[in-house]
Amino acid sequence: MQAYATIIISTCICMLIALASAQGSLISGSFPILFLCFAITFSIQWMIFVPSYFFTTERFYDITGSLTFITIALISFYYKNQFLVGEIDLRSSIITIFILIWALRLGSYLFLRILKDKEDRRFKEWKTSFPLFLRTWTMQGMWVFLTSVSGLTAICSSLVVELGLYFYVGCGLWIFGFLFESISDYQKRKFKVKNPKDFISSGLWSLSRHPNYFGEIVLWLGITIIAFPVLQGYQLFSLVSPLFVFWLLTKVSGIPILEKHADEIWGKKKEYKEYKDNTPVLFPRFFKK
C-alpha cells in the first residue's frame, strides 16, 4: 500500500505543479503544452515499465528517462516555434539545447554502464515486485518533469523577454556544472577500469565525494536562472526545479545510497576514513588548508 500511495502522491504533486505552471503557457487544442508534457512524461514511464517488469530488467530505465527529457524539450520547442512564426527566441533555444546536450551525455553514459555491468544493484529487489518497480518508474517520471519544469515553463511561455544578466549568469552556471559533472564521470569511469574494487579520491573527486552530483545541481540551477525572467504568477511554482534536484540527490536516491554502499565496502579502511574525514560530501573544497 505504501508503494501505491507514493505513486499517487508523486503523480498528483507533478500534476498540480503542471497546472499551476501552465498558466500563460502555449495551447494545443484545449490543452496547455506544459500539461501535455506532464502527461507524456508519465505515459512513457508507465509504457516502458510493462515490458521491463515482464522481463525483470532495469536495462532501459536510465535511457528511457533521458529520452523523455529529450522528447518533452523538443515538443515544447516545436510549439514555441509555431507560436513565433519564423522568429527566434534565443532563451528558449538555449534552454532546449542545454537539456538535449545534458540528456544525450548522461543517457549514453548510463546506458553504456548498465550494458557493461549487466545490472544496477539498486533494482535488485524492486524489479521483482510490481508495486515497488512501478513506484520506481513513477518516481523517474517525477524526476524528469520536476527537474525540467522551470526550463519547460520558459519554453512554453507566450512571453518573450530580451536577454539580460540572468541569461548570461545562467549560461555560465550551466556550462560550469555540465563540465564538472562530465569530467568527474569520465575520471571515475577511467579510474574504475584500472581499479574496479577501489574508491576514487583523485581529480575532482579530491574536492568532493560526489562532484558529479554537485555539477548536476549547478547546471539545473543555471537553467532555472535563464528561465526566471519570463516566469509570471503561478509559473513561479516551476522554480521548484533546482530545489527538487538538490533534495533528490542529497536525501533520496543519490548520496544516501552511495554513501551507505561505500561505508559497507571501504568503511574499515584507513585510507577511506581519511578521505571521508578530509573531503566534503557534496560542495567542493577548492582551497585546501
Side-chain angles (χ1 to χ4, degrees):
M1 285 299 295
Q2 186 177 3
Y4 289 118
T6 302
I7 291 169
I8 294 171
I9 291 171
S10 58
T11 305
C12 288
I13 288 173
C14 291
M15 183 183 297
L16 291 173
I17 291 178
L19 288 171
S21 301
Q23 304 300 312
S25 172
L26 300 175
I27 303 292
S28 175
S30 57
F31 289 96
I33 302 304
L34 188 64
F35 192 79
L36 185 63
C37 289
F38 155 76
I40 290 172
T41 296
F42 282 86
S43 296
I44 291 174
Q45 309 317 306
W46 293 332
M47 183 172 61
I48 304 301
F49 156 75
V50 175
S52 297
Y53 175 71
F54 182 79
F55 291 105
T56 320
T57 180
E58 71 277 26
R59 183 165 293 188
F60 301 104
Y61 182 79
D62 290 317
I63 193 66
T64 299
S66 296
L67 290 176
T68 306
F69 272 104
I70 293 170
T71 300
I72 57 179
L74 290 177
I75 288 173
S76 302
F77 188 64
Y78 167 78
Y79 281 104
K80 186 59 167 280
N81 280 341
Q82 292 290 101
F83 171 74
L84 293 174
V85 192
E87 296 183 12
I88 296 177
D89 174 28
L90 189 56
R91 187 187 313 277
S92 296
S93 300
I94 290 298
I95 291 174
T96 303
I97 290 170
F98 281 172
I99 292 176
L100 295 184
I101 291 174
W102 173 82
L104 287 169
R105 203 284 309 178
L106 185 64
S108 59
Y109 169 76
L110 294 176
F111 187 62
L112 291 174
R113 188 178 69 178
I114 193 65
L115 289 179
K116 178 185 176 183
D117 297 343
K118 305 301 181 184
E119 69 173 358
D120 188 326
R121 63 177 180 270
R122 297 175 300 170
F123 294 83
K124 191 172 183 179
E125 296 180 6
W126 300 341
K127 63 185 178 183
T128 60
S129 166
F130 182 90
L132 292 181
F133 205 30
L134 178 59
R135 181 184 66 182
T136 304
W137 283 87
T138 302
M139 291 301 292
Q140 174 159 262
M142 187 180 194
W143 168 62
V144 172
F145 185 73
L146 292 187
T147 296
S148 60
V149 70
S150 62
L152 295 178
T153 302
I155 298 172
C156 294
S157 175
S158 57
L159 179 65
V160 177
V161 176
E162 290 186 4
L163 305 183
L165 182 61
Y166 282 107
F167 177 81
Y168 298 109
V169 170
C171 286
L173 284 174
W174 187 89
I175 293 170
F176 173 78
F178 179 77
L179 290 175
F180 215 87
E181 181 182 38
S182 303
I183 292 172
S184 56
D185 279 341
Y186 171 76
Q187 290 176 339
K188 185 174 182 179
R189 184 172 68 248
K190 188 176 180 181
F191 176 85
K192 285 295 184 180
V193 171
K194 298 180 180 179
N195 311 275
K197 296 183 178 181
D198 204 355
F199 65 93
I200 181 172
S201 59
S202 57
L204 295 180
W205 299 84
S206 67
L207 307 178
S208 164
R209 302 207 297 275
H210 301 279
N212 52 341
Y213 289 160
F214 170 74
E216 182 155 339
I217 291 168
V218 170
L219 71 87
W220 284 109
L221 175 61
I223 286 180
T224 300
I225 291 175
I226 296 172
F228 181 72
V230 297
L231 303 180
Q232 305 178 89
Y234 289 116
Q235 291 179 336
L236 293 174
F237 277 100
S238 68
L239 294 176
V240 70
S241 284
L243 299 176
F244 174 76
V245 174
F246 179 82
W247 172 77
L248 186 68
L249 293 179
T250 60
K251 303 298 182 181
V252 185
S253 67
I255 291 175
I257 293 176
L258 293 179
E259 286 287 299
K260 180 181 178 181
H261 181 68
D263 287 341
E264 291 173 352
I265 298 177
W266 305 298
K268 296 181 179 179
K269 293 185 65 173
K270 179 182 177 182
E271 296 85 354
Y272 180 72
K273 288 181 179 179
E274 292 178 351
Y275 171 68
K276 193 172 181 179
D277 289 340
N278 297 318
T279 310
V281 64
L282 179 64
F283 294 100
R285 182 180 296 158
F286 292 102
F287 304 101
K288 295 187 176 182
K289 296 179 180 179

